[in-house]
Amino acid sequence: MILIGEKINGSIPAVAEAIARRDGEFIKNRARMQAEANATFIDCCASVPEAEEVETLHWMIDCIQDVTDLPISVDSPSAAVLAEAYRFCRKPGLFNSVSGEGSKLDTIFPIMAQEANQEWQVIALLSDDTGIPKCAADRLRVFDKIMKKAEEYQIAPGRIHIDPLVEMLCTSEDGIATNIEVIRTVRERYPEIHITAAVSNISFNLPARKLINQGFLVLAMNAGLDSGILDPTNRDLLGLVYATEALLGMDDYCMEYIGAYRDGLIGPVR
């Protein structure tokens, strides 16, 4: 599974404080921890006013790149900010994110189409100018729009991570049925595409959140999720990823699961 480490995000109070103080060691430590936990990408989100965002992301990206060569997920709700901040990365990473809203696709996809940026990937949210669609059929209509635009710019499906938009379970009318239907349909239509989710969104405002997160992760992976925005240092959650891949027949002879246990990534703390 593709693990997008979520621990460097200015919406987290401790990270916001470190950003305000320009505490580079704090950012570096979080990057180091996630790299050691086998993250695939290190997400980098400033969560500051847009006027300060490019400069702040530049500083944060430099901090991360000082301690790891893992690719960076450059995270901003602004396509204009992404179009500037990605240049600070020393290697191809992940645009996080675009959607069917406004001109976001036409801002980021042309950048990805450039010869120098052929290895860049993108997270695409299934929302548009109307907001987050309530039903699976409407989210899939946004998906079709995104894929039509990707074809126009010759962006291969394997470079796209579709985010079906996980909402709070406690306020959802149909539980996770919409998400599961979207994940399964996207996977059936495009076997080579990636499907991602911010796993912890499902459990907001609920007690014992980790139980909901773990249950959702198993269901979503069974439906076709192969990418996740999560905390790779959470041994229980990471162990569940390896275990589920083994149970789904995605890990020949359970070698990845055994290796993760042997390397101390999962299982009891040694």
Side-chain angles (χ1 to χ4, degrees):
M1 185 169 180
I2 297 166
L3 305 175
I4 304 168
E6 67 179 8
K7 292 178 70 66
I8 302 177
N9 190 311
S11 66
I12 302 169
V15 178
E17 185 178 340
I19 291 171
R21 297 196 318 266
R22 287 297 189 267
D23 184 349
E25 287 308 310
F26 182 94
I27 302 298
K28 291 176 185 180
N29 186 51
R30 288 210 160 199
R32 210 180 278 115
M33 288 168 54
Q34 294 180 99
E36 291 171 354
N38 268 13
T40 314
F41 294 91
I42 303 292
D43 195 68
C44 181
C45 180
S47 288
V48 297
E50 188 169 339
E52 307 167 18
E53 202 171 2
V54 171
E55 183 276 327
T56 303
L57 283 170
H58 191 176
W59 172 76
M60 294 172 72
I61 289 168
D62 283 349
C63 287
I64 294 168
Q65 293 181 143
D66 278 349
V67 296
T68 179
D69 62 356
L70 285 181
I72 293 173
S73 165
V74 186
D75 190 343
S76 171
S78 167
V81 168
L82 294 177
E84 291 296 322
Y86 90 96
R87 303 174 191 274
F88 307 132
C89 297
R90 296 172 192 159
K91 65 192 302 183
L94 182 64
F95 288 104
N96 185 8
S97 55
V98 298
S99 69
E101 179 186 0
S103 61
K104 290 184 176 182
L105 296 171
D106 286 313
T107 299
I108 299 303
F109 279 6
I111 294 172
M112 294 178 65
Q114 293 171 9
E115 186 175 353
N117 297 323
Q118 291 290 314
E119 294 182 42
W120 273 85
Q121 300 178 36
V122 65
I123 292 177
L125 312 179
L126 298 188
S127 60
D128 59 15
D129 292 322
T130 67
I132 300 175
K134 295 300 181 186
C135 68
D138 287 341
R139 293 189 195 190
L140 289 167
R141 274 192 279 274
V142 178
F143 172 66
D144 289 338
K145 172 184 176 181
I146 290 170
M147 297 312 293
K148 183 177 180 181
K149 189 67 70 171
E151 184 177 358
E152 178 183 329
Y153 287 106
Q154 298 184 314
I155 309 296
R159 298 172 65 193
I160 300 171
H161 298 239
I162 293 296
D163 187 338
L165 293 169
V166 176
E167 299 178 276
M168 292 187 294
L169 180 64
C170 61
T171 58
S172 175
E173 294 180 4
D174 59 359
I176 63 167
T178 294
N179 283 126
I180 297 303
E181 182 179 347
V182 170
I183 292 169
R184 283 184 174 146
T185 304
V186 169
R187 175 60 65 222
E188 287 170 3
R189 292 186 189 175
Y190 290 89
E192 67 274 40
I193 209 165
H194 297 298
I195 305 173
T196 195
V199 172
S200 62
N201 284 1
I202 193 74
S203 64
F204 281 137
N205 293 332
L206 288 172
R209 292 184 61 188
K210 68 177 184 179
L211 301 177
I212 299 293
N213 294 344
Q214 290 171 355
F216 169 70
L217 183 60
V218 173
L219 292 173
M221 288 179 68
N222 187 50
L225 190 85
D226 70 335
S227 168
I229 303 166
L230 46 76
D231 178 1
T233 69
N234 182 325
R235 296 171 65 87
D236 290 338
L237 198 62
L238 191 61
L240 199 63
V241 168
Y242 282 102
T244 303
E245 286 183 334
L247 289 164
L248 291 174
M250 301 166 63
D251 179 4
D252 291 342
Y253 303 105
C254 301
M255 294 305 296
E256 294 293 330
Y257 179 84
I258 293 168
Y261 180 82
R262 181 191 59 229
D263 295 340
L265 296 175
I266 63 175
V269 177
R270 300 175 185 176

